[in-house]
Amino acid sequence: AADGGAGLLWLKGMQIVNGGQTTASIYFTKRRDPTLDLRLVRVPAKIIVMKSKDPAAEEALISDISRFANSQNSVKQSDLSANKPFHVEMEKLALSTYCPDGVGRWFYERAAGSYNTMLAREGGTPAQLRKLREAIPPARKITKTDLAKYLNVWDRRPDLVSLGSQKNFEKFMEAFRGADDSTPSLPDVAAYKTMVAKAIVFKKAQALIRPSLPAFQANVVAYTIALLAERAGPSFSFDQVWDHQDISPTLKTQLQTWASEVSEVLNRSANGRMVSEWAKKPECWSVVKEANY
């Protein structure tokens, strides 16, 4: 260092575990006002050098740092999972995989707020921002908790989805890792496109079903998609959904028909209980999938 004290010559493999908002504030403040002199700004930092060569141990330590450094705030389980290899790979696939039109992309929000950060970073002018929003509109953003919802409902577990976003996410990550605590295989482009297709079906169904129901729309949507997964099975063409970035008019009509029937079954089988609570039970799914449609 200039004062003769010890200093850092170089750092490798750095990542910000806690302090992302501070970093972003400094960056965007300088960007808004290039004349601003940041040399007088001092940010206290704690640098942790991890000696372990075990990726799983490093991941656990990073998660613990986030949890305990934010003990004054509510830290969501989904936020602590942002650095897991699966989510990192999903983010990479989203950045490099274009829609069939060769222009648009989907956005996987691995870290909370990263979609807005991307718009601020890359949309420097009004024209650039408009072009970016057209290529990657908010409707094509998928968060980690969204993905857990889409995949669990297609795995025919609407009861887990009905637990709420954070609890469903925890169950998703538990099942994803497996009983033997092994590291799950990472998704490839084909798997990514299938996951986006599942998101498309869910989003389209949600837009169709919600306006037509007076209450418990989220539960009806989850159970209707699970019914589709149960009835269609492996014959459902996710490739076709990806290619058209939409579902067929026939499927839209079928989903609306089933949604009305699923709503009736949920209300009848609840036997006076709150439907949103009944929907959290595995027994509820057993009743719904055995009904006639």
Side-chain angles (χ1 to χ4, degrees):
D3 59 2
L8 290 170
L9 181 61
W10 58 271
L11 293 170
K12 181 181 178 182
M14 285 185 66
Q15 61 174 300
I16 299 171
V17 176
N18 202 45
Q21 285 181 317
T22 304
T23 308
S25 296
I26 293 172
Y27 173 81
F28 289 118
T29 299
K30 179 67 174 178
R31 181 168 172 170
R32 280 193 298 270
D33 184 3
T35 64
L36 195 68
D37 185 3
L38 292 174
R39 285 176 296 180
L40 297 177
V41 175
R42 293 290 180 268
V43 179
K46 180 192 294 179
I47 298 175
I48 299 173
V49 181
M50 295 191 289
K51 302 292 179 66
S52 171
K53 301 297 182 184
D54 179 11
E58 286 192 359
E59 191 179 290
L61 178 58
I62 290 169
S63 178
D64 284 343
I65 292 168
S66 295
R67 181 183 293 112
F68 298 118
N70 287 287
S71 57
Q72 76 278 14
N73 301 318
S74 173
V75 182
K76 297 176 181 177
Q77 183 61 38
S78 57
D79 293 331
L80 298 175
S81 300
N83 288 320
K84 291 190 181 295
F86 171 80
H87 300 296
V88 173
E89 190 62 25
M90 282 293 293
E91 183 182 55
K92 289 178 182 176
L93 287 165
L95 289 169
S96 59
T97 307
Y98 284 80
C99 295
D101 63 7
V103 177
R105 280 183 290 147
W106 283 73
F107 188 90
Y108 188 66
E109 193 168 62
R110 178 175 68 87
S114 60
Y115 177 78
N116 288 333
T117 300
M118 179 272 296
L119 292 178
R121 185 180 65 247
E122 299 180 24
T125 66
Q128 288 174 330
L129 184 60
R130 185 170 60 253
K131 188 176 180 181
L132 201 56
R133 283 184 175 276
E134 288 172 358
I136 316 173
R140 286 205 196 124
K141 180 183 76 172
I142 300 175
T143 66
K144 295 187 297 299
T145 52
D146 286 339
L147 185 68
K149 177 170 61 178
Y150 304 149
L151 298 189
N152 270 352
V153 82
W154 271 99
D155 282 341
R156 302 182 299 284
R157 291 305 308 268
D159 51 311
L160 295 183
V161 173
S162 296
L163 292 172
S165 61
Q166 288 301 317
K167 286 185 179 179
N168 177 63
F169 182 82
E170 290 172 23
K171 297 291 184 184
F172 168 73
M173 292 305 294
E174 286 172 13
F176 197 72
R177 180 166 286 280
D180 59 353
D181 207 37
S182 60
T183 302
S185 58
L186 297 179
D188 56 13
V189 173
Y192 170 76
K193 289 180 177 180
T194 296
M195 285 187 266
V196 172
K198 291 178 178 180
I200 291 169
V201 176
F202 194 101
K203 284 172 173 280
K204 295 293 181 181
Q206 195 172 48
L208 287 166
I209 294 169
R210 278 191 158 177
S212 63
L213 294 173
F216 311 114
Q217 297 101 328
N219 303 115
V220 174
V221 171
Y223 273 81
T224 301
I225 300 296
L227 181 65
L228 172 63
E230 179 77 13
R231 296 293 174 94
S235 66
F236 191 87
S237 177
F238 293 110
D239 289 342
Q240 201 169 335
V241 175
W242 169 264
D243 289 342
H244 292 87
Q245 294 290 296
D246 201 353
I247 59 176
S248 68
T250 307
L251 180 55
K252 289 176 182 177
T253 302
Q254 185 64 68
L255 287 172
Q256 286 178 303
T257 302
W258 275 349
S260 173
E261 295 173 327
V262 165
S263 178
E264 193 276 325
V265 172
L266 282 172
N267 280 280
R268 176 165 40 83
S269 61
N271 290 322
R273 288 169 288 188
M274 183 72 76
V275 169
S276 56
E277 289 302 312
W278 167 233
K280 297 175 183 177
K281 309 289 185 184
E283 305 88 75
C284 179
W285 170 233
S286 297
V287 171
V288 171
K289 71 179 177 182
E290 296 302 328
N292 294 317
Y293 300 93

